[in-house]
Amino acid sequence: MEIIRTASRLKELADKARAEHKSVGLVPTMGALHKGHLSLVERARRENDIVVVSVFVNPTQFNNANDLATYPRTEEADCLLLEQAGVDAAFIPAVEEMYPEPDTRQFDLGPVAEVMEGPMRPGHFNGVAQIVSKLFYLARPVRAYFGEKDFQQIAVIRRMVELEGGFEDLEIVSCPICRADDGLALSSRNVRLTPEQRAVAPAIYKVLSQSAASPLPTVKETQRDVVEQLNSLPFMKVEYFTIVDGLTMQPISSWNDTDYAVGCITVYCGDVRLIDNITYKKN
Ligand code: PAF
């Protein structure tokens, strides 16, 4: 596996792949890799000639300095996992390499970015659009893989691709959430949970899946019930639980508003912000 530190070398690899009619599959990550990332890598491996994984903790998408400072960084272990997974190239640039000058681009991400994570994390999605567009321009992937844990992020990236216009042959591949045996959605942030918090955290998926299996008559009651159940548990504080249309990300007020209803949740477990989602219906 080649470790690439510069944008110019990644571009060179991508140009060569294109010239040789080889498909590049890109898995953008912020490192601290776990089985969830590896499932994206495995899929990319099956579907492409060349697999590139980027490992970059992107500062422009953090609206909380402490979250950026404490974000786990495990480069050596990440490289080992990627090598074992048969990745062709790991792109691990320094911040100055990706941002030789401040990126002042403002993306008109529209309604998909105006709800849930949008208002909770001002600037976050613009930062995601900045880095992911840079990665797409450099790696020129035919497929790029994202996990559905960050459900809204996928809609935002699709919107960015639409806005940029230059990625006609790019497919955004959305991949199912990977969960621990007890149901907790795998996340790099899980390592920051204390053992006591880690024992409570699986309740998020338990409550969500029970709710999706037997929703209450109204969306409002369903949302309130999930929030109340989780808030009654130690360490847990729900930031939001919103049931949205799974394509537009717009909150629904009646089950009849959409054929594709997804409940998106953010919960603080202690000071660790966990996110998850569950499909209520998909016709
Ligand atoms: O989902 C993530 O890990 C990040 O938001 C991404 C897509 C790698 C961009 O930094």
Side-chain angles (χ1 to χ4, degrees):
M1 181 180 80
E2 178 179 353
I3 296 183
I4 299 180
R5 302 273 177 193
T6 62
S8 58
R9 173 63 196 130
L10 178 58
K11 194 163 179 315
E12 201 174 271
L13 179 145
D15 288 347
K16 183 164 179 282
R18 288 260 161 179
E20 292 172 356
H21 303 288
K22 288 185 176 161
S23 59
V24 170
L26 174 69
V27 183
T29 82
M30 296 206 299
L33 302 178
H34 50 66
K35 282 188 190 149
H37 297 112
L38 294 179
S39 73
L40 306 183
V41 171
E42 274 157 31
R43 178 144 179 208
R45 185 64 292 163
R46 285 199 302 276
E47 297 179 349
N48 301 278
D49 300 314
I50 295 172
V51 175
V52 177
V53 178
S54 61
V55 175
F56 180 66
V57 182
N58 172 39
T60 71
Q61 71 186 75
F62 284 80
N63 59 322
N64 175 326
N66 186 49
D67 193 23
L68 174 60
T70 58
Y71 199 86
R73 288 162 169 86
T74 57
E75 185 180 314
E76 217 173 296
D78 290 347
C79 285
L80 208 66
L81 287 172
L82 295 178
E83 174 107 54
Q84 285 163 355
V87 166
D88 298 283
F91 178 51
I92 315 182
V95 172
E96 306 75 55
E97 184 67 19
M98 291 315 279
Y99 297 105
E101 289 148 30
D103 190 340
T104 53
R105 291 175 300 160
Q106 288 293 327
F107 291 81
D108 176 17
L109 297 169
V112 291
E114 284 165 7
V115 293
M116 302 189 288
E117 294 296 279
M120 288 300 164
R121 304 181 69 189
H124 167 67
F125 282 137
N126 198 63
V128 169
Q130 287 175 340
I131 191 62
V132 174
S133 62
K134 277 175 186 268
L135 292 169
F136 286 176
Y137 283 120
L138 292 174
R140 299 177 68 202
V142 167
R143 295 177 198 85
Y145 297 80
F146 297 90
E148 284 171 5
K149 181 173 73 62
D150 297 293
F151 190 70
Q152 192 180 1
Q153 173 171 272
I154 299 180
V156 166
I157 289 167
R158 289 190 201 282
R159 168 74 181 152
M160 178 277 289
V161 166
E162 209 177 272
L163 286 171
E164 288 299 275
F167 305 124
E168 278 77 19
D169 67 349
L170 168 64
E171 184 192 347
I172 302 296
V173 185
S174 134
C175 304
I177 298 178
C178 270
R179 298 184 180 279
D181 289 345
D182 57 15
L184 179 64
L186 297 186
S187 161
S188 305
R189 290 188 173 86
N190 293 353
V191 297
R192 294 179 45 217
L193 294 167
T194 65
E196 294 77 15
Q197 291 165 349
R198 178 65 187 78
V200 177
I204 300 170
Y205 180 60
K206 193 164 167 229
V207 170
L208 287 182
S209 39
Q210 281 167 357
S211 172
S214 39
L216 295 175
T218 70
V219 171
K220 206 170 174 179
E221 285 169 293
T222 307
Q223 289 176 158
R224 193 186 310 133
D225 177 56
V226 165
V227 173
E228 282 175 4
Q229 286 195 57
L230 286 170
N231 280 346
S232 72
L233 298 171
F235 308 116
M236 300 288 228
K237 181 84 189 85
V238 176
E239 189 173 56
Y240 64 79
F241 175 54
T242 312
I243 302 177
V244 298
D245 176 289
L247 293 179
T248 66
M249 300 296 123
Q250 297 315 291
I252 58 167
S253 47
S254 150
W255 294 117
N256 297 326
D257 284 353
T258 179
D259 286 340
Y260 183 19
V262 179
C264 298
I265 196 161
T266 299
V267 188
Y268 275 93
C269 185
D271 65 357
V272 184
R273 191 170 186 270
L274 300 174
I275 80 171
D276 204 340
N277 62 78
I278 197 99
T279 300
Y280 277 84
K281 68 170 178 176
K282 191 171 187 180
N283 293 337

